[in-house]
Amino acid sequence: MRFSLGTARQWHWISAAVSLVGMLLFAVTGITLNHAAVIPASISITTIEGDVPDSVLTHLQNLPMAEMPAPQPVRQWLAREHSISVPADVAGEFDGMEFYLAWPGPGADRWLAINVDEGALLYEGTERGWIAYFNDLHKGRNTGQVWFVFIDVIAIAMIVFTLTGLWLLVKQASHKQSTWPVTALGLLIPVVIALVFIH
């Protein structure tokens, strides 16, 4: 089927609509990442130390010495007593004496250790603020599989948007003499910067 001007316009606006929010997010976070050294960090650290009841320790004492998620009763106790929400699908490690679990997320790092012999809990959560959160979304850092796929979808939509935009330029360039000089400039500027100023 012939790729007509109307088809190009249709794909152009559809890809623009699909990628609009994602494109804006990646553009803004591109700026914040580029200026990360001068943007003040907003770091909040929460530390919790406490005793673990025997009824909870029982569910850890018989764990195999291998990576596995925290047992449900342990997660329920952590949420109820300390407002610590542990994902059910994150694997921890048990070495026979201590159960250690870490679940970093965008803009945050969290970990806990439960010493089974001493019945002691140590938890630390670090929140680095909203800018760090969105910067991590940009990088796909600790964002999970769904966001990973979302980035690919948005990237494909951006490619379609760009290529159909180029096709529209080709078809309508005769009406605007500045089309190709401006397009060439858009190509030349990053090439010159890369060759001359990046070492």
Side-chain angles (χ1 to χ4, degrees):
M1 185 176 67
R2 190 169 60 90
F3 193 71
S4 65
L5 190 62
T7 303
R9 286 196 182 110
Q10 186 175 23
W11 278 100
H12 191 65
W13 79 258
I14 290 174
S15 60
V18 170
S19 63
L20 177 64
V21 174
M23 196 180 305
L24 180 62
L25 170 67
F26 287 110
V28 172
T29 52
I31 294 172
T32 57
L33 281 167
N34 200 39
H35 297 275
V38 296
I39 297 176
S42 176
I43 299 176
S44 173
I45 300 176
T46 301
T47 303
I48 298 174
E49 296 184 54
D51 296 326
V52 183
D54 292 339
S55 59
V56 175
L57 293 175
T58 301
H59 297 284
L60 295 173
Q61 289 168 339
N62 298 322
L63 287 179
M65 286 189 282
E67 291 188 3
M68 64 177 304
Q72 184 177 1
V74 177
R75 299 196 312 273
Q76 291 174 339
W77 175 79
L78 289 167
R80 183 178 63 251
E81 296 298 323
H82 299 288
S83 299
I84 300 173
S85 179
V86 178
D89 59 344
V90 176
E93 298 177 357
F94 184 60
D95 61 6
M97 182 180 70
E98 181 182 82
F99 181 76
Y100 176 82
L101 182 69
W103 64 104
D109 291 291
R110 305 176 191 93
W111 63 269
L112 65 80
I114 297 177
N115 189 303
V116 175
D117 289 345
E118 299 177 2
L121 164 70
L122 176 60
Y123 164 83
E124 183 175 284
T126 302
E127 303 285 343
R128 299 190 302 277
W130 284 105
I131 293 179
Y133 176 86
F134 285 110
N135 284 349
D136 282 349
L137 290 184
H138 182 110
K139 295 182 287 186
R141 177 182 180 271
N142 302 318
T143 52
Q145 185 64 29
V146 175
W147 185 261
F148 178 85
V149 173
F150 172 77
I151 290 177
D152 284 346
V153 171
I154 292 300
I156 292 170
M158 289 179 183
I159 291 170
V160 172
F161 176 75
T162 304
L163 293 179
T164 52
L166 178 61
W167 179 257
L168 291 172
L169 284 177
V170 169
K171 290 299 182 180
Q172 299 179 349
S174 59
H175 303 296
K176 294 183 180 179
Q177 295 182 351
S178 61
T179 296
W180 295 124
V182 173
T183 303
L185 190 63
L187 171 64
L188 187 62
I189 289 175
V191 171
V192 170
I193 291 174
L195 294 177
V196 177
F197 297 102
I198 299 177
H199 302 289

